Coordinates of all heavy atoms in Angstrom, one line a residue:
M1 N 129.4 -158.4 18.6 CA 129.4 -157.5 17.5 C 130.8 -156.6 17.7 O 131.4 -156.5 16.7 CB 128.2 -156.6 17.4 CG 128.2 -155.6 16.4 SD 126.7 -154.7 16.5 CE 126.4 -154.4 14.8
F2 N 130.8 -156.0 18.8 CA 132.0 -155.1 19.1 C 132.9 -156.0 20.2 O 132.4 -156.6 21.1 CB 131.7 -153.8 19.7 CG 130.9 -153.0 18.7 CD1 129.6 -153.0 18.6 CD2 131.7 -152.3 17.8 CE1 128.8 -152.2 17.8 CE2 131.0 -151.5 16.8 CZ 129.5 -151.4 16.8
Q3 N 134.2 -155.8 19.9 CA 135.0 -156.2 21.1 C 136.3 -155.3 21.1 O 136.7 -154.7 20.2 CB 135.5 -157.8 20.6 CG 136.4 -157.7 19.5 CD 136.8 -159.2 19.1 OE1 136.0 -160.1 19.4 NE2 137.9 -159.3 18.5
R4 N 137.0 -155.5 22.4 CA 138.1 -154.7 22.5 C 139.3 -155.1 21.7 O 139.4 -156.4 21.5 CB 138.5 -154.6 24.0 CG 137.5 -154.0 24.9 CD 137.8 -153.9 26.4 NE 137.0 -153.2 27.1 CZ 136.9 -151.8 27.0 NH1 137.9 -151.1 26.4 NH2 136.0 -151.1 27.7
L5 N 140.1 -154.3 21.3 CA 141.3 -154.6 20.5 C 142.5 -155.0 21.5 O 143.4 -155.6 21.0 CB 141.6 -153.5 19.5 CG 140.6 -153.2 18.5 CD1 141.1 -151.9 17.4 CD2 140.4 -154.4 17.6
R6 N 142.3 -154.4 22.6 CA 143.5 -154.8 23.6 C 142.9 -155.0 25.0 O 141.8 -154.6 25.2 CB 144.5 -153.8 23.6 CG 143.9 -152.4 23.9 CD 145.0 -151.4 24.1 NE 144.7 -150.0 24.4 CZ 144.2 -149.5 25.5 NH1 144.3 -150.3 26.5 NH2 143.8 -148.4 25.5
D7 N 143.7 -155.6 26.0 CA 143.1 -155.7 27.4 C 143.0 -154.4 27.9 O 143.7 -153.3 27.6 CB 144.2 -156.5 28.1 CG 144.1 -158.0 27.5 OD1 143.2 -158.4 26.9 OD2 145.2 -158.8 27.7
I8 N 142.2 -154.3 29.0 CA 142.1 -153.1 29.8 C 143.3 -152.9 30.6 O 143.8 -153.8 31.3 CB 140.8 -153.3 30.8 CG1 139.6 -153.3 29.9 CG2 140.9 -152.1 31.8 CD1 138.2 -153.6 30.7
R9 N 143.9 -151.8 30.6 CA 145.1 -151.5 31.3 C 144.9 -150.7 32.6 O 145.6 -150.9 33.6 CB 146.0 -150.6 30.4 CG 146.5 -151.5 29.2 CD 147.5 -150.6 28.3 NE 147.7 -151.3 27.1 CZ 148.0 -150.9 26.0 NH1 148.0 -149.6 25.7 NH2 148.2 -151.5 24.8
Q10 N 144.0 -149.7 32.6 CA 143.7 -149.0 33.8 C 142.2 -149.1 34.0 O 141.4 -148.3 33.4 CB 144.1 -147.6 33.6 CG 145.5 -147.3 33.6 CD 145.9 -145.9 33.5 OE1 145.6 -145.0 32.5 NE2 146.5 -145.3 34.5
P11 N 141.7 -150.0 34.8 CA 140.3 -150.2 35.0 C 139.6 -149.1 35.7 O 140.1 -148.5 36.5 CB 140.1 -151.5 35.8 CG 141.6 -151.9 36.3 CD 142.5 -151.0 35.5
V12 N 138.4 -148.8 35.1 CA 137.5 -147.8 35.5 C 136.1 -148.5 35.7 O 135.7 -149.1 34.8 CB 137.4 -146.6 34.7 CG1 136.3 -145.6 35.1 CG2 138.7 -146.0 34.5
R13 N 135.6 -148.4 37.0 CA 134.3 -149.1 37.2 C 133.1 -148.2 37.1 O 133.2 -147.1 37.8 CB 134.3 -149.9 38.6 CG 135.3 -151.1 38.7 CD 135.5 -151.6 40.1 NE 136.0 -150.5 40.9 CZ 137.4 -150.4 41.1 NH1 138.2 -151.2 40.4 NH2 137.8 -149.5 42.0
L14 N 132.2 -148.6 36.3 CA 131.0 -147.8 36.2 C 129.7 -148.7 36.1 O 129.9 -149.9 36.1 CB 131.1 -146.8 35.0 CG 131.2 -147.4 33.5 CD1 130.6 -146.6 32.5 CD2 132.6 -147.7 33.2
T15 N 128.6 -148.1 36.1 CA 127.4 -148.8 36.0 C 126.7 -148.4 34.8 O 126.5 -147.2 34.5 CB 126.4 -148.5 37.1 OG1 127.1 -148.9 38.5 CG2 125.2 -149.4 37.1
I16 N 126.2 -149.5 34.0 CA 125.5 -149.2 32.8 C 124.1 -149.9 32.7 O 124.2 -151.2 32.8 CB 126.3 -149.6 31.4 CG1 127.6 -148.8 31.4 CG2 125.4 -149.3 30.2 CD1 128.5 -149.2 30.2
D17 N 123.1 -149.2 32.8 CA 121.8 -149.9 33.0 C 121.7 -150.8 34.1 O 121.2 -151.8 34.1 CB 121.4 -150.5 31.7 CG 121.1 -149.6 30.5 OD1 120.8 -148.3 30.9 OD2 121.0 -150.0 29.4
G18 N 122.4 -150.4 35.2 CA 122.3 -151.2 36.4 C 123.3 -152.4 36.6 O 123.4 -152.9 37.5
E19 N 124.1 -152.5 35.4 CA 125.1 -153.6 35.5 C 126.4 -153.1 35.7 O 126.8 -151.9 35.1 CB 125.1 -154.3 34.1 CG 123.8 -155.0 33.7 CD 123.6 -156.2 34.6 OE1 124.6 -156.9 35.0 OE2 122.5 -156.6 34.9
A20 N 127.3 -153.6 36.6 CA 128.6 -153.0 36.9 C 129.5 -153.5 35.6 O 129.4 -154.7 35.2 CB 129.2 -153.8 38.1
V21 N 130.2 -152.5 35.1 CA 131.0 -152.7 34.0 C 132.4 -152.1 34.3 O 132.5 -151.2 34.9 CB 130.3 -151.9 32.8 CG1 131.2 -151.9 31.6 CG2 129.0 -152.6 32.3
T22 N 133.3 -152.7 33.7 CA 134.8 -152.2 33.8 C 135.2 -151.8 32.4 O 135.1 -152.5 31.5 CB 135.8 -153.3 34.3 OG1 135.2 -153.8 35.6 CG2 137.2 -152.7 34.4
A23 N 135.6 -150.5 32.4 CA 136.1 -150.0 31.2 C 137.6 -149.6 31.3 O 138.1 -149.8 32.5 CB 135.4 -148.7 30.8
D24 N 138.2 -149.0 30.3 CA 139.6 -148.7 30.4 C 139.6 -147.1 30.6 O 138.8 -146.4 30.0 CB 140.4 -149.1 29.2 CG 141.8 -149.1 29.4 OD1 142.4 -148.9 30.6 OD2 142.6 -149.6 28.4
A25 N 140.5 -146.6 31.4 CA 140.6 -145.1 31.6 C 140.8 -144.5 30.1 O 141.7 -145.0 29.5 CB 141.7 -144.8 32.5
G26 N 140.1 -143.5 29.9 CA 140.2 -142.8 28.6 C 139.2 -143.3 27.6 O 139.1 -142.7 26.6
D27 N 138.5 -144.4 27.9 CA 137.5 -145.0 27.1 C 136.4 -143.9 27.0 O 135.9 -143.3 28.0 CB 136.8 -146.2 27.5 CG 137.7 -147.4 27.1 OD1 138.6 -147.3 26.4 OD2 137.3 -148.5 27.6
S28 N 135.7 -143.7 25.8 CA 134.4 -142.9 25.8 C 133.4 -143.8 26.4 O 133.6 -145.0 26.4 CB 134.1 -142.6 24.3 OG 133.7 -143.7 23.6
V29 N 132.3 -143.1 26.9 CA 131.1 -143.9 27.4 C 130.5 -144.8 26.2 O 130.1 -145.8 26.5 CB 130.1 -142.9 27.9 CG1 128.8 -143.5 28.3 CG2 130.6 -142.2 29.2
M30 N 130.6 -144.3 25.0 CA 130.1 -145.0 23.8 C 130.9 -146.4 23.7 O 130.2 -147.5 23.6 CB 130.4 -144.2 22.6 CG 129.9 -145.0 21.3 SD 130.4 -144.1 19.7 CE 132.1 -144.5 19.7
A31 N 132.2 -146.2 23.9 CA 133.1 -147.6 23.7 C 132.6 -148.5 24.9 O 132.6 -149.7 24.7 CB 134.5 -147.1 23.8
A32 N 132.4 -148.0 26.0 CA 132.1 -148.8 27.2 C 130.8 -149.4 27.0 O 130.6 -150.6 27.4 CB 132.2 -148.0 28.5
I33 N 129.8 -148.7 26.5 CA 128.6 -149.2 26.3 C 128.7 -150.3 25.2 O 128.1 -151.5 25.4 CB 127.5 -148.0 25.9 CG1 127.3 -147.2 27.1 CG2 126.1 -148.8 25.5 CD1 126.4 -145.9 26.7
L34 N 129.3 -150.1 24.1 CA 129.3 -151.1 23.0 C 130.0 -152.3 23.5 O 129.6 -153.3 23.2 CB 129.9 -150.4 21.9 CG 129.1 -149.4 21.0 CD1 130.0 -148.6 20.0 CD2 127.8 -149.9 20.6
A35 N 131.2 -152.1 24.2 CA 131.9 -153.2 24.8 C 131.0 -154.0 25.7 O 131.4 -155.3 26.0 CB 133.1 -152.8 25.5
S36 N 130.0 -153.4 26.5 CA 129.2 -154.2 27.2 C 128.1 -154.9 26.5 O 127.3 -155.7 27.2 CB 128.6 -153.3 28.4 OG 127.6 -152.5 27.8
G37 N 127.9 -154.8 25.2 CA 126.9 -155.5 24.5 C 125.8 -154.9 24.1 O 124.9 -155.5 23.6
I38 N 125.8 -153.6 24.4 CA 124.5 -152.8 24.2 C 124.7 -152.0 22.9 O 125.6 -151.3 22.7 CB 124.1 -151.8 25.3 CG1 123.8 -152.7 26.7 CG2 123.0 -150.9 25.0 CD1 123.8 -151.7 27.8
A39 N 123.8 -152.2 22.1 CA 123.9 -151.5 20.7 C 122.9 -150.4 20.5 O 123.1 -149.5 19.7 CB 123.8 -152.5 19.4
S40 N 121.8 -150.6 21.1 CA 120.7 -149.5 21.0 C 120.8 -148.6 22.2 O 120.5 -149.2 23.4 CB 119.4 -150.4 21.0 OG 118.2 -149.3 21.2
F41 N 121.1 -147.4 22.1 CA 121.3 -146.5 23.1 C 120.0 -145.8 23.5 O 119.9 -145.4 24.6 CB 122.3 -145.4 22.7 CG 123.7 -145.9 22.6 CD1 124.1 -147.2 22.2 CD2 124.7 -145.1 23.1 CE1 125.5 -147.7 22.2 CE2 126.1 -145.6 23.2 CZ 126.4 -146.8 22.7
R42 N 119.1 -145.6 22.6 CA 117.9 -144.9 23.1 C 116.9 -145.2 22.0 O 117.1 -146.0 21.0 CB 118.2 -143.4 23.0 CG 118.5 -142.9 21.7 CD 118.7 -141.5 21.7 NE 119.0 -140.8 20.3 CZ 118.0 -140.2 19.5 NH1 116.8 -140.3 19.9 NH2 118.5 -139.8 18.3
R43 N 115.7 -144.7 22.2 CA 114.5 -144.8 21.2 C 114.1 -143.4 20.9 O 114.1 -142.5 21.7 CB 113.3 -145.5 21.8 CG 113.6 -147.1 21.8 CD 112.4 -147.9 22.3 NE 112.8 -149.3 22.5 CZ 112.6 -150.1 21.3 NH1 112.2 -149.6 20.3 NH2 112.9 -151.4 21.6
T44 N 113.8 -143.2 19.6 CA 113.3 -141.7 19.3 C 111.9 -141.4 19.9 O 111.1 -142.4 20.1 CB 113.0 -141.7 17.8 OG1 112.1 -142.6 17.3 CG2 114.4 -141.9 17.0
P45 N 111.9 -140.2 20.3 CA 110.6 -139.8 20.9 C 109.3 -140.0 20.1 O 108.2 -140.2 20.4 CB 110.7 -138.4 21.3 CG 112.2 -138.1 21.2 CD 112.8 -139.1 20.3
Q46 N 109.5 -139.7 18.7 CA 108.5 -139.8 17.7 C 108.0 -141.2 17.4 O 106.8 -141.6 17.7 CB 108.9 -139.1 16.5 CG 109.1 -137.6 16.6 CD 107.7 -136.8 16.9 OE1 106.8 -137.2 16.4 NE2 108.0 -135.7 17.7
S47 N 108.9 -142.1 17.0 CA 108.3 -143.3 16.5 C 108.8 -144.5 17.4 O 108.3 -145.7 17.3 CB 109.0 -143.7 15.1 OG 110.5 -143.8 15.2
G48 N 109.7 -144.2 18.3 CA 110.2 -145.3 19.2 C 111.3 -146.2 18.5 O 111.6 -147.2 19.2
A49 N 111.8 -145.7 17.4 CA 112.8 -146.5 16.7 C 114.1 -146.5 17.5 O 114.5 -145.5 18.2 CB 113.1 -145.9 15.3
E50 N 114.8 -147.6 17.5 CA 116.0 -147.8 18.2 C 117.1 -147.0 17.6 O 117.1 -146.9 16.4 CB 116.5 -149.3 18.3 CG 115.5 -150.0 19.2 CD 116.0 -151.5 19.3 OE1 116.5 -152.1 18.3 OE2 115.8 -152.0 20.4
R51 N 117.9 -146.3 18.2 CA 119.1 -145.5 17.8 C 120.4 -146.0 18.4 O 120.4 -146.5 19.6 CB 118.8 -144.1 17.9 CG 117.6 -143.5 17.5 CD 117.4 -143.8 16.0 NE 118.4 -143.0 15.1 CZ 118.3 -143.0 13.9 NH1 117.4 -143.8 13.2 NH2 119.3 -142.4 13.2
G52 N 121.5 -146.0 17.8 CA 122.8 -146.3 18.3 C 123.7 -145.3 17.7 O 123.5 -144.6 16.9
P53 N 125.0 -145.2 18.2 CA 126.0 -144.3 17.6 C 126.1 -144.5 16.2 O 126.3 -145.6 15.6 CB 127.3 -144.6 18.5 CG 127.0 -146.0 19.2 CD 125.5 -146.2 19.2
Y54 N 126.3 -143.4 15.4 CA 126.5 -143.4 14.0 C 127.9 -142.8 13.6 O 128.7 -143.4 13.1 CB 125.5 -142.7 13.3 CG 125.5 -142.8 11.9 CD1 125.4 -143.9 11.1 CD2 125.8 -141.6 11.1 CE1 125.5 -144.0 9.6 CE2 126.0 -141.5 9.8 CZ 125.7 -142.8 9.1 OH 125.9 -142.8 7.7
C55 N 128.1 -141.6 14.2 CA 129.4 -140.9 13.7 C 130.5 -141.0 14.7 O 131.6 -141.0 14.3 CB 128.9 -139.4 13.4 SG 128.9 -138.5 15.2
G56 N 130.2 -141.2 16.0 CA 131.2 -141.4 16.9 C 132.1 -140.1 17.1 O 133.3 -140.2 17.7
M57 N 131.5 -138.9 16.7 CA 132.4 -137.8 16.8 C 131.6 -136.6 17.1 O 131.9 -135.4 16.9 CB 133.2 -137.4 15.6 CG 132.6 -137.4 14.3 SD 133.6 -137.2 13.0 CE 132.5 -136.6 11.8
G58 N 130.4 -136.6 17.7 CA 129.6 -135.5 18.2 C 128.6 -134.8 17.2 O 128.2 -133.7 17.4
V59 N 128.4 -135.5 16.1 CA 127.7 -134.9 15.0 C 126.2 -135.3 15.0 O 125.3 -134.5 14.8 CB 128.4 -134.9 13.7 CG1 127.5 -134.4 12.6 CG2 129.7 -134.4 13.7
C60 N 126.1 -136.5 15.0 CA 124.6 -137.1 14.8 C 123.7 -137.3 15.9 O 122.4 -137.3 15.7 CB 124.8 -138.5 14.2 SG 125.4 -139.8 15.3
F61 N 124.2 -137.1 17.1 CA 123.4 -137.1 18.2 C 122.6 -138.4 18.4 O 121.5 -138.5 19.2 CB 122.4 -136.1 18.4 CG 123.2 -134.6 18.8 CD1 123.9 -133.9 17.9 CD2 123.1 -134.1 20.1 CE1 124.6 -132.8 18.1 CE2 123.7 -133.0 20.3 CZ 124.4 -132.4 19.4
D62 N 122.9 -139.4 17.9 CA 122.3 -140.8 18.0 C 122.7 -141.5 19.1 O 122.3 -142.7 19.4 CB 122.4 -141.6 16.7 CG 121.4 -141.1 15.7 OD1 120.3 -140.6 16.0 OD2 121.6 -141.5 14.5
C63 N 123.7 -141.0 20.0 CA 124.3 -141.8 21.0 C 123.9 -141.2 22.3 O 124.5 -141.5 23.5 CB 125.8 -141.8 21.0 SG 126.5 -140.1 21.1
L64 N 122.7 -140.5 22.4 CA 122.3 -139.9 23.6 C 122.0 -140.9 24.7 O 121.3 -141.8 24.5 CB 121.1 -138.9 23.3 CG 121.3 -137.8 22.4 CD1 120.1 -137.1 22.2 CD2 122.5 -136.9 22.9
V65 N 122.5 -140.6 25.9 CA 122.3 -141.4 27.1 C 122.1 -140.4 28.3 O 122.4 -139.2 28.3 CB 123.4 -142.5 27.3 CG1 123.5 -143.4 26.3 CG2 124.8 -141.7 27.5
T66 N 121.7 -141.0 29.5 CA 121.7 -140.4 30.7 C 122.9 -140.7 31.4 O 123.3 -141.9 31.7 CB 120.5 -140.7 31.4 OG1 119.4 -140.3 30.7 CG2 120.4 -139.9 32.7
I67 N 123.7 -139.7 31.8 CA 125.0 -139.9 32.6 C 124.9 -139.2 33.9 O 124.6 -138.0 34.1 CB 126.2 -139.3 31.8 CG1 126.3 -140.2 30.6 CG2 127.4 -139.5 32.7 CD1 127.5 -139.6 29.6
D68 N 124.8 -139.8 35.1 CA 124.8 -139.4 36.4 C 123.6 -138.5 36.6 O 123.6 -137.4 37.1 CB 126.1 -138.7 36.8 CG 127.2 -139.5 36.9 OD1 127.1 -140.7 37.3 OD2 128.4 -139.1 36.7
G69 N 122.4 -139.0 36.0 CA 121.2 -138.3 36.1 C 121.0 -137.2 35.1 O 119.8 -136.6 35.1
R70 N 121.9 -137.0 34.3 CA 121.7 -135.7 33.3 C 121.4 -136.4 32.0 O 122.3 -137.2 31.4 CB 122.9 -134.9 33.3 CG 123.1 -134.2 34.6 CD 124.4 -133.2 34.5 NE 124.1 -132.2 33.5 CZ 125.1 -131.5 32.9 NH1 126.3 -131.7 33.3 NH2 124.8 -130.5 32.1
G71 N 120.2 -136.1 31.4 CA 119.9 -136.8 30.1 C 120.6 -136.0 28.9 O 121.1 -135.0 29.0
N72 N 120.4 -136.7 27.7 CA 120.9 -136.0 26.4 C 122.3 -135.7 26.5 O 122.8 -134.7 25.9 CB 120.0 -134.8 26.1 CG 118.6 -135.0 26.0 OD1 118.2 -136.1 25.3 ND2 117.8 -134.1 26.4
R73 N 123.1 -136.7 27.0 CA 124.5 -136.7 27.1 C 125.0 -137.4 25.8 O 124.6 -138.5 25.7 CB 125.3 -137.2 28.2 CG 124.5 -136.4 29.5 CD 124.8 -135.0 29.6 NE 126.1 -134.7 29.6 CZ 126.6 -133.5 29.8 NH1 125.9 -132.4 30.0 NH2 128.1 -133.3 29.9
Q74 N 126.0 -136.9 25.1 CA 126.6 -137.6 23.9 C 127.6 -138.6 24.4 O 128.7 -138.1 24.8 CB 127.1 -136.6 22.9 CG 126.2 -135.9 22.2 CD 126.7 -134.8 21.4 OE1 127.1 -133.7 22.0 NE2 126.8 -134.9 20.2
A75 N 127.3 -139.9 24.3 CA 128.2 -140.9 24.9 C 129.5 -141.0 24.2 O 130.5 -141.3 24.7 CB 127.4 -142.3 24.8
C76 N 129.5 -140.4 22.9 CA 130.8 -140.5 22.1 C 131.7 -139.4 22.5 O 132.9 -139.6 22.3 CB 130.5 -140.5 20.7 SG 129.9 -138.9 20.1
L77 N 131.2 -138.6 23.2 CA 132.2 -137.4 23.7 C 132.4 -137.3 25.1 O 133.2 -136.6 25.6 CB 131.4 -135.9 23.3 CG 131.2 -135.7 21.8 CD1 130.4 -134.3 21.7 CD2 132.5 -135.8 21.0
A78 N 131.8 -138.3 26.0 CA 132.0 -138.4 27.4 C 132.9 -139.5 27.8 O 133.1 -140.6 26.9 CB 130.7 -138.7 28.0
V79 N 133.8 -139.1 28.6 CA 134.9 -140.1 28.9 C 134.4 -140.8 30.2 O 133.9 -140.2 31.2 CB 136.3 -139.3 29.2 CG1 137.2 -140.3 29.6 CG2 136.7 -138.7 27.9
V80 N 134.7 -142.1 30.3 CA 134.3 -142.9 31.5 C 135.1 -142.3 32.8 O 136.1 -141.8 32.7 CB 134.6 -144.3 31.4 CG1 133.8 -145.0 30.3 CG2 136.0 -144.6 31.3
R81 N 134.4 -142.4 33.9 CA 134.9 -141.8 35.2 C 134.4 -143.0 36.2 O 133.3 -143.6 36.1 CB 134.2 -140.6 35.5 CG 134.8 -139.7 36.5 CD 134.3 -138.3 36.8 NE 133.2 -138.0 35.9 CZ 131.8 -138.2 36.1 NH1 131.5 -138.9 37.2 NH2 130.9 -137.8 35.4
E82 N 135.3 -143.2 37.2 CA 135.0 -144.1 38.3 C 133.7 -143.7 38.9 O 133.5 -142.6 39.3 CB 136.2 -144.1 39.2 CG 136.0 -145.2 40.4 CD 136.3 -146.6 39.9 OE1 137.1 -146.7 38.8 OE2 135.8 -147.4 40.6
G83 N 132.8 -144.7 39.1 CA 131.5 -144.5 39.7 C 130.5 -144.0 38.9 O 129.3 -143.7 39.4
M84 N 130.8 -143.7 37.7 CA 129.7 -143.1 36.8 C 128.5 -144.1 36.6 O 128.7 -145.2 36.6 CB 130.4 -143.0 35.4 CG 129.5 -142.2 34.3 SD 130.5 -142.0 32.7 CE 131.2 -140.4 33.0
V85 N 127.4 -143.3 36.5 CA 126.2 -144.2 36.3 C 125.6 -143.9 35.0 O 125.2 -142.6 34.8 CB 125.1 -143.9 37.4 CG1 123.8 -144.5 37.2 CG2 125.7 -144.4 38.8
V86 N 125.5 -144.7 34.2 CA 125.1 -144.5 32.6 C 123.8 -145.2 32.5 O 123.6 -146.4 32.9 CB 126.0 -144.9 31.7 CG1 125.6 -144.7 30.3 CG2 127.4 -144.2 31.9
E87 N 122.7 -144.6 31.9 CA 121.5 -145.3 31.6 C 121.3 -145.0 30.0 O 121.3 -143.9 29.5 CB 120.3 -144.7 32.4 CG 120.4 -144.9 33.8 CD 119.5 -144.2 34.6 OE1 118.4 -144.2 34.3 OE2 119.9 -143.2 35.3
S88 N 121.1 -146.2 29.4 CA 120.7 -146.0 27.8 C 119.2 -145.4 28.0 O 118.6 -145.4 28.9 CB 120.8 -147.2 27.2 OG 120.0 -148.3 27.7
G89 N 118.7 -145.1 26.7 CA 117.3 -144.5 26.6 C 117.4 -143.1 27.2 O 116.5 -142.6 27.6
G90 N 118.5 -142.5 27.0 CA 118.8 -141.1 27.6 C 118.2 -140.0 27.0 O 118.2 -138.9 27.4
A91 N 117.6 -140.2 25.8 CA 116.9 -138.9 25.1 C 115.8 -138.6 25.8 O 114.9 -139.3 26.1 CB 116.7 -139.3 23.7
R92 N 115.7 -137.3 26.2 CA 114.5 -136.7 26.8 C 113.9 -135.8 25.7 O 114.5 -135.0 25.1 CB 114.9 -136.0 28.0 CG 115.8 -136.6 29.0 CD 114.8 -137.1 30.2 NE 115.4 -138.2 31.0 CZ 116.1 -137.8 32.1 NH1 116.4 -136.6 32.4 NH2 116.5 -138.9 32.8
P93 N 112.6 -136.0 25.6 CA 111.9 -135.0 24.7 C 112.0 -133.6 25.0 O 112.5 -133.3 26.1 CB 110.4 -135.5 24.7 CG 110.3 -136.4 25.9 CD 111.7 -136.7 26.4
A94 N 111.9 -132.7 24.0 CA 112.0 -131.4 24.2 C 110.9 -130.8 25.1 O 109.9 -131.6 25.4 CB 112.0 -130.6 22.8
I95 N 111.1 -129.7 25.5 CA 110.1 -129.0 26.6 C 108.7 -129.2 25.8 O 108.4 -128.9 24.5 CB 110.4 -127.6 26.7 CG1 111.6 -127.5 27.5 CG2 109.2 -126.9 27.6 CD1 112.2 -126.1 27.6
G96 N 107.7 -129.6 26.5 CA 106.4 -129.8 26.0 C 106.1 -131.2 25.4 O 105.0 -131.5 25.0
G97 N 107.1 -131.9 25.1 CA 107.1 -133.4 24.6 C 106.6 -134.4 25.5 O 106.2 -134.0 26.8
P98 N 106.4 -135.5 25.2 CA 105.7 -136.5 26.0 C 106.7 -136.9 27.2 O 107.9 -136.8 27.1 CB 105.6 -137.8 25.2 CG 106.4 -137.5 23.9 CD 106.6 -136.0 23.8
Ligands
FES1 S1 127.7 -141.0 17.8 FE1 127.2 -139.3 16.6 S2 127.0 -137.6 18.3 FE2 127.7 -139.5 19.3

């Protein structure tokens, strides 16, 4: 579905859902996830519907993932970092939720 438009120039190694992935320095986490073949980033707490990035600019919150153990991070606004650990399904329900 998604593919890189150019080769990786400055490789950055990270882990996405337990898989070692190489991204390019400056890539957003969203780009790295999509390039790894994952399109569903999380499921909604209410219905369990799959969600993926929509706006790509920090507005829709449909790209929430867990980054280095911190949930509810917007993948479209985070930049990849060497050794970063990313987990899809990052949406955590609000306080008092399931
Ligand atoms: S894709 Fe919309 S906030 Fe990240």
Side-chain angles (χ1 to χ4, degrees):
M1 180 179 216
F2 294 95
Q3 64 181 33
R4 292 186 174 280
L5 296 178
R6 61 174 173 78
D7 293 335
I8 292 174
R9 296 182 183 150
Q10 291 181 293
V12 174
R13 291 171 296 274
L14 62 151
T15 303
I16 300 173
D17 289 341
E19 298 288 327
V21 169
T22 302
D24 203 0
D27 278 354
S28 68
V29 171
M30 178 189 77
I33 294 172
L34 291 172
S36 74
I38 297 171
S40 173
F41 283 39
R42 67 180 182 95
R43 290 184 178 273
T44 61
Q46 294 293 327
S47 69
E50 292 183 324
R51 307 300 295 182
Y54 181 69
C55 71
M57 59 183 193
V59 176
C60 72
F61 287 76
D62 276 338
C63 63
L64 297 178
V65 295
T66 299
I67 299 176
D68 293 333
R70 296 182 64 198
N72 294 327
R73 309 297 297 183
Q74 289 168 283
C76 66
L77 298 181
V79 177
V80 295
R81 194 174 2 85
E82 185 72 25
M84 181 180 265
V85 176
V86 178
E87 298 165 62
S88 62
R92 302 261 166 88
I95 295 172

